[in-house]
Amino acid sequence: ISEIQTEPIDLSQITDNTTIDVSLGIPNDILIQSGDYSITVNISVEKVKSKEFTIGYKLTGETSGIQITPVSDKITITVSGYDDKLNLLNDQSFTAVLDVAEFVTDGTYTKAPVVKVVNEDSEIKIDNISKVEFKVTTSQQDTSGDSTTTDAPVDSTTDSAVNSNVDNNEQR
């Protein structure tokens, strides 16, 4: 005999570590010398847990002449997995990228970044990603094309318009 089967064990009913006696599937023409027709099976249950991380993200798809101003430079993610895997993770274990290429008109928007596990661990599942709220401001190019200007209020004492320069590199 190279192997002996046991009766089926219904694992769907087991929620914690346990020990159960299971009958052996001994063929009728075989006699067990010790008389034991069952074995003790130790079952260990490892539960999936979840953990939150607060991580930074990068913007991509920014368009010249459009300023993107996020409310926050961090997002919160919730991941799940087994304790031994979760304990190896930190905020550097993830990358997050927010693509803003589609946002070309003034307004306030929200969008969730794409988050990936750095080492592509298939046992870690990303369950939730908080969205980023950000403001999009478009500005008009001046005639020189070197800087962007926005109209400022007229100074009533000199009756002249005042322009304020906005540097396009001040994007977050």
Side-chain angles (χ1 to χ4, degrees), residues 20-89:
I20 58 173
D21 287 327
V22 180
S23 297
L24 293 172
I26 306 293
N28 291 336
D29 58 342
I30 302 295
L31 182 63
I32 304 286
Q33 188 172 8
S34 69
D36 291 332
Y37 286 86
S38 67
I39 60 169
T40 300
V41 177
N42 294 317
I43 300 174
S44 297
V45 176
E46 189 173 351
K47 296 179 182 179
V48 172
K49 295 186 178 178
S50 60
K51 190 172 182 179
E52 277 191 359
F53 294 91
T54 300
I55 62 172
Y57 61 90
K58 293 181 181 180
L59 292 178
T60 187
E62 295 173 278
T63 304
S64 178
I66 297 178
Q67 182 175 1
I68 306 293
T69 310
V71 171
S72 173
D73 62 350
K74 303 275 187 191
I75 59 168
T76 301
I77 62 171
T78 305
V79 299
S80 59
Y82 297 113
D83 260 344
D84 60 334
K85 297 290 185 179
L86 289 177
N87 291 335
L88 298 174
L89 300 175

